[in-house]
Amino acid sequence: AQSVTQLGSHVSVSEGALVLLRCNYSSSVPPYLFWYVQYPNQGLQLLLKYTTGATLVKGINGFEAEFKKSETSFHLTKPSAHMSDAAEYFCAVRANAGNMLTFGGGTRLMVKP
Amino acid sequence: NAGVMQNPRHLVRRRGQEARLRCSPMKGHSHVYWYRQLPEEGLKFMVYLQKENIIDESGMPKERFSAEFPKEGPSILRIQQVVRGDSAAYFCASSPGLPALGNEQFFGPGTRLTVL
């Protein structure tokens, strides 16, 4: 069984500030980890994923995430927020032999001018 | 290459009616997944299908819900006798191959079902 916890359902940052969205997971087997972004009334777009190998993963739009096995975390960061980053972000986990993604509750990111 | 297509984008039904949601996967994808997103919540897995087969339906409610992915045509998620609690966004995703091989799921724009 696996689960995902996203700490903070709403995060607000100023434009240009660091973005940090937290994700902790539990999985009984080595996980694949994902971050998706959802803009209003749209589907989910993959930002980045971790499967194996390098634990620091770079994605689109300047985002990156680091897989920390000891902390069971996969936090998403971006050095400098842009207004266009305002959206809902979902962390997801999948057992490497599993069929389904298990999603966290989501974090709504607001960017202030 | 068109992405995952879902229609309708918005669907309004009265209690007791049937809802049919359609999903056309990306070209070359033979694996389809359905997820449900209740208001203010994350997505929850419902069912995973390959052509003509249901592979995993562990997330599907036992009654009123069914899914198919025929040899020809889109995947259909069918909800019979809808109730207000069925109001949600239903997302379809597709992938080109087996999840265990690391194949990514590509999501459609969703169908937003409102039950009056």
Side-chain angles (χ1 to χ4, degrees):
Chain A
Q2 52 217 19
S3 66
V4 179
T5 302
Q6 291 184 241
L7 190 62
S9 59
H10 292 80
V11 170
S12 181
V13 300
S14 297
E15 191 173 19
L18 171 71
V19 175
L20 171 60
L21 304 182
R22 299 178 187 275
C23 172
N24 289 87
Y25 70 91
S26 68
S27 178
S28 56
V29 296
Y32 287 0
L33 295 158
F34 306 80
W35 275 100
Y36 286 87
V37 60
Q38 184 182 31
Y39 296 100
N41 297 316
Q42 294 187 27
L44 277 70
Q45 180 183 4
L46 182 69
L47 276 177
L48 49 80
K49 64 180 179 182
Y50 168 80
T51 54
T52 58
T55 56
L56 181 62
V57 181
K58 294 187 185 299
I60 61 171
N61 301 339
F63 285 93
E64 61 182 37
E66 186 171 10
F67 169 57
K68 292 188 176 180
K69 185 178 179 181
S70 61
E71 298 178 8
T72 60
S73 69
F74 191 57
H75 301 330
L76 182 71
T77 59
K78 182 174 180 177
S80 176
H82 192 271
M83 297 296 290
S84 61
D85 294 327
E88 183 125 27
Y89 292 80
F90 292 96
C91 182
V93 63
R94 197 191 82 213
N96 60 9
N99 298 323
M100 64 183 184
L101 291 166
T102 299
F103 286 86
T107 297
R108 188 174 301 277
L109 175 66
M110 293 167 283
V111 182
K112 299 175 291 187
Chain B
N1 186 11
V4 178
M5 310 282 282
Q6 289 188 249
N7 67 81
R9 293 292 306 276
H10 300 273
L11 182 62
V12 179
R13 285 287 178 267
R14 296 189 181 281
R15 281 179 296 170
Q17 292 184 318
E18 178 180 287
R20 279 183 180 245
L21 288 63
R22 294 175 186 77
C23 169
S24 296
M26 288 181 69
K27 187 176 180 180
H29 288 194
S30 58
H31 300 246
V32 165
Y33 314 78
W34 285 94
Y35 293 82
R36 176 166 64 174
Q37 184 180 30
L38 294 170
E40 304 299 320
E41 293 187 16
L43 282 72
K44 298 284 196 296
F45 169 79
M46 299 181 76
V47 62
Y48 163 41
L49 311 101
Q50 294 179 29
K51 285 285 188 181
E52 301 184 276
N53 287 302
I54 296 174
I55 306 302
D56 182 348
E57 56 181 348
S58 58
M60 285 275 273
K62 293 287 186 285
E63 298 177 350
R64 302 187 297 107
F65 285 72
S66 62
E68 62 177 12
F69 188 17
K71 186 176 180 181
E72 300 292 337
S75 176
I76 306 286
L77 180 67
R78 182 183 178 205
I79 311 172
Q80 295 178 288
Q81 299 175 327
V82 295
V83 301
R84 288 219 174 106
D86 296 333
S87 295
Y90 292 82
F91 290 95
C92 171
S94 72
S95 70
L98 291 171
L101 298 178
N103 285 297
E104 177 189 336
Q105 294 179 25
F106 293 83
F107 283 80
T111 293
R112 279 153 182 82
L113 172 65
T114 301
V115 180
L116 302 177

